[in-house]
Amino acid sequence: FTPEQRDEIELRVGDKVQLQHQYDDGWAKGVNLSIGATGLFPLDCLAGFDAPQEDEKGNKKHNNRVSSIY
């Protein structure tokens, strides 16, 4: 996951993540233990959660942030 907002964190395949809070819009707050960053990210980037949807061009798209906005 590549962040688009200042409060989001990058996630790469293999990163260890500590989940701190799960929001009802499909986003979460947590710590990327691999890089030591804290922030928001879409839950569908984590193993065990639904895969992100794709748009008409095949790009991954995540749920819109609603309740996870500060």
Side-chain angles (χ1 to χ4, degrees), residues 1-3 8-18 30-33 35 37 39-46:
F1 172 71
T2 302
E8 298 172 358
I9 57 172
E10 180 178 26
L11 298 177
R12 294 181 181 222
V13 174
D15 283 350
K16 302 289 184 193
V17 177
Q18 180 182 29
V31 181
N32 181 335
L33 300 172
I35 61 173
L40 300 172
F41 53 88
L43 280 169
D44 57 21
C45 289
L46 301 182

Side-chain angles (χ1 to χ4, degrees), residues 4 7 16 18-20 24 29 38 41-42 44 61 65 67 69:
E4 294 181 5
D7 58 352
K16 302 289 184 193
Q18 180 182 29
L19 191 63
Q20 295 177 323
D24 61 0
K29 180 179 180 184
T38 300
F41 53 88
D44 57 21
K61 67 177 195 174
R65 286 179 58 194
S67 59
I69 295 176

Side-chain angles (χ1 to χ4, degrees), residues 44 50-55 58-63:
D44 57 21
D50 291 335
Q53 302 296 316
E54 292 185 356
D55 63 15
N59 298 317
K60 292 181 181 177
K61 67 177 195 174
H62 304 282
N63 293 338

